[in-house]
Amino acid sequence: DEIVIGALTSHLDLARDALMHRHVQAYAGLSNNIANIRVRVAGSIGGNLCFGEPHADPPSLLAALGARVTLRGPEGIRSVLVAEFIEDEFTTQRRDDEIMTAVHIPLPRSDERFTYLKSGHLERPAVGIAAGCCTDDGRTSYRVWAGSIGSRPIRVTALEAAL
């Protein structure tokens, strides 16, 4: 029902992974366009999320996909939706005594499509839009998240309703 990605998995590995291409192609494409090759080789999905950088690409698409993260600490294991994980610039729900161990992405159904598009200058996105189109019992709904324009990903509910 989901793809589980270890927190230390590099962006480059995700960009090249056959399962990602088959099930979550939008995320594979996003991973292939993060910053530059040095960042894609050395940077990890967990590091990206835990840093809470407002101009990062992954959080918006992961929020649209309904992804969650697993955190482990002395008090045990907990799960947090990516949509709620980043609270503000460089501030997340991860406690100082916790580490992120995994990212869980629900497998999109056959009637769901997602995409991510960013616009920016050089390696820095100025705006990133993650969009999903979902059909359930003949009714179409949308999930639209904007990144890089605020201190955290923003769900654009007015646009979802207008669509």
Side-chain angles (χ1 to χ4, degrees):
D1 294 340
E2 66 183 4
I3 291 179
V4 181
I5 303 166
L8 294 178
T9 305
S10 76
H11 301 298
L12 186 62
D13 286 342
L14 291 170
R16 293 179 174 173
D17 187 82
L19 282 175
M20 294 299 287
H21 279 275
R22 185 175 320 122
H23 297 291
V24 197
Q25 185 158 2
Y27 197 84
L30 176 151
S31 295
N32 196 45
N33 288 297
I34 288 178
N36 58 55
I37 190 63
R38 295 180 313 276
V39 172
R40 290 191 293 275
V41 167
S44 68
I45 188 171
N48 185 290
L49 292 171
C50 286
F51 190 49
E53 159 67 57
H55 295 282
D57 291 312
S60 298
L61 182 54
L62 290 170
L65 288 162
R68 59 187 169 81
V69 299
T70 299
L71 302 167
R72 180 182 290 253
E75 296 179 25
I77 299 170
R78 64 188 182 109
S79 180
V80 178
L81 288 171
V82 171
E84 299 168 359
F85 181 67
I86 298 175
E87 297 177 325
D88 204 348
E89 292 182 22
F90 308 105
T91 306
T92 68
Q93 287 196 20
R94 188 185 64 80
R95 298 179 191 125
D96 289 340
D97 60 354
E98 290 180 315
I99 60 168
M100 180 183 292
T101 57
V103 177
H104 304 255
I105 302 175
L107 291 176
R109 298 184 325 249
S110 62
D111 58 355
E112 294 180 322
R113 297 289 183 268
F114 292 88
T115 191
Y116 180 79
L117 181 64
K118 69 177 173 180
S119 174
H121 178 69
L122 300 175
E123 297 171 1
R124 303 288 289 178
V127 64
I129 301 293
C133 178
C134 311
T135 305
D136 192 18
D137 289 331
R139 187 160 191 262
T140 301
S141 63
Y142 300 90
R143 295 185 219 160
V144 181
W145 286 78
S148 301
I149 61 172
S151 60
R152 60 188 306 274
I154 301 165
R155 188 163 189 182
V156 191
T157 55
L159 178 57
E160 292 175 349
L163 290 170

